[in-house]
Amino acid sequence: MGEAVRVYTTGERCVRCKLTKKALAAKGVEFVEVDVTLDENAAAHAYITDELGYIEAPVVVVDDEDHWSGFRPDHIDRLAARL
């Protein structure tokens, strides 16, 4: 895999975001967090809502074909097995 996995979050109050980050870390999956509530990340917010069509955080983007929304342990396990 070339680029890092990206986890688009809505900040520290997002329980599903915290669970996702914790599960990824526990499985040894390296990721970059992008808080889409920050003004400097407006383009990232537009990307996950307008381009990908998600309305729920977190949004995990592995690559152009592999991404999901919400806390999905099944996808995290699948991703960890691939790495």
Side-chain angles (χ1 to χ4, degrees), residues 5-79:
V5 172
R6 293 195 174 275
V7 180
Y8 296 91
T9 70
T10 54
E12 285 303 309
R13 294 191 323 214
C14 173
V15 173
R16 287 182 300 247
C17 300
K18 286 182 189 177
L19 289 170
T20 296
K21 293 185 296 181
K22 187 174 182 176
L24 286 167
K27 296 283 184 178
V29 178
E30 293 184 21
F31 62 90
V32 175
E33 180 178 0
V34 180
D35 184 340
V36 297
T37 64
L38 303 176
D39 287 342
E40 65 262 25
N41 294 332
H45 184 267
Y47 169 66
I48 64 169
T49 55
D50 299 342
E51 287 187 46
L52 298 181
Y54 293 116
I55 58 171
E56 175 185 79
V59 173
V60 179
V61 177
V62 179
D63 56 39
D64 289 340
E65 287 81 40
D66 190 1
H67 45 81
W68 68 86
S69 174
F71 178 53
R72 297 291 306 269
D74 56 331
H75 286 309
I76 294 169
D77 288 344
R78 175 183 55 77
L79 176 60

